[in-house]
Amino acid sequence: MIPIVAATPAAAAAKDVRHYLRPGTLQLPALPPLSLYVHLPRCLKKCPYCDFNSHEQPAELPESRYVDALVADVEAALPPVWGRQIHSIFIGGGTPSLFSPDAIARLLSDVRARLKLTADCEITLEANPGTFEKDRFKAFRGAGVTRLSVGVQSFNDMHLRALGRVHDGAQAIAAVEEAALSFETFNIDLMYALPGQTLEQLEADVTQAMSLMPPHLSIYHLTIEPNTYFAKFPPTIPHEDWRTRCSTASPK
Ligand SMILES: C[S@@+](CC[C@H](N)C(=O)[O-])C[C@H]1O[C@@H](n2cnc3c(N)ncnc32)[C@H](O)[C@@H]1O
Ligand code: SF4
């Protein structure tokens, strides 16, 4: 971090900008910290809207071999980042919560053995709200995860079915409540402009999400991505006018 030596915050900011804009080689007292993204591409079932690198899991999961391969990847990437600190790790997918807590613990300890993590390094894991995963949340905390990102999408069972999700609204609420108990902080993912969704139903989803007091809420407009099931068999999604009103509507 660049030390602030000027008397006022505004003057300090101006001095920082001048420092970066001056001619010649950029002089940094230390290189900034890095973030690490780890991808676990397994899912129970491929959702019809999803174009992420995610695949239905095979019956026999070569979990430990996959972790070995990830650690080998980290090792191959070490030379250009040698000595740099890592201040956040995001384990995304796919559905990383399908991996066992033991596998996540081994992954994190192997990463710690190779990279310098800051003392307050935030470690996020993406989770789906199925019961199977919810029962493992505390064990993920024990494995070193500090933040859970729960892929709720909607609390409405009809919309969850239309999205091909493998959980229902009650399971989503139970999973978020468990995340709040088990982790320092958590995020809820919602999607909107879902097949057949009304503005009132969207408002009900947002109200339900806010009642669970998430420290962070991500809301994504459902996008029909090329090469997905929805691209081939398009569902009826809300009219453009609905979406415009949605993005300009103010909260009641
Ligand atoms: C890596 S994805 C999935 C995480 C987790 N597997 C799940 O499904 O809950 C992260 C988020 O992207 C959003 N997302 C995925 N596909 C999308 C799409 N086609 N349109 C809008 N949002 C999408 C969803 O909200 C999802 O939770
Ligand atoms: S949305 Fe999530 S659970 Fe569904 S296929 Fe994509 S990554 Fe897997």
Side-chain angles (χ1 to χ4, degrees), residues 36-40 89-93 96 104 107-108 123-127 145:
L36 175 70
Y37 176 78
V38 181
H39 194 73
L40 303 183
I89 299 180
F90 193 99
I91 307 173
I104 299 295
L107 170 71
L108 290 175
I123 303 179
T124 302
L125 181 104
E126 272 187 335
V145 174

Side-chain angles (χ1 to χ4, degrees), residues 37 39 42-43 47 49-52 92-96 126-129 149-153 165 167 189-191 218 220-225 228:
Y37 176 78
H39 194 73
R42 286 181 192 147
C43 291
C47 301
Y49 55 86
C50 178
D51 76 338
F52 283 80
T95 309
E126 272 187 335
N128 278 24
S149 180
V150 191
V152 167
Q153 320 313 347
R165 300 291 293 180
H167 60 89
D189 276 354
L190 284 184
M191 291 196 292
S218 308
Y220 301 99
H221 183 291
L222 172 66
T223 315
I224 305 300
E225 302 286 358
T228 58

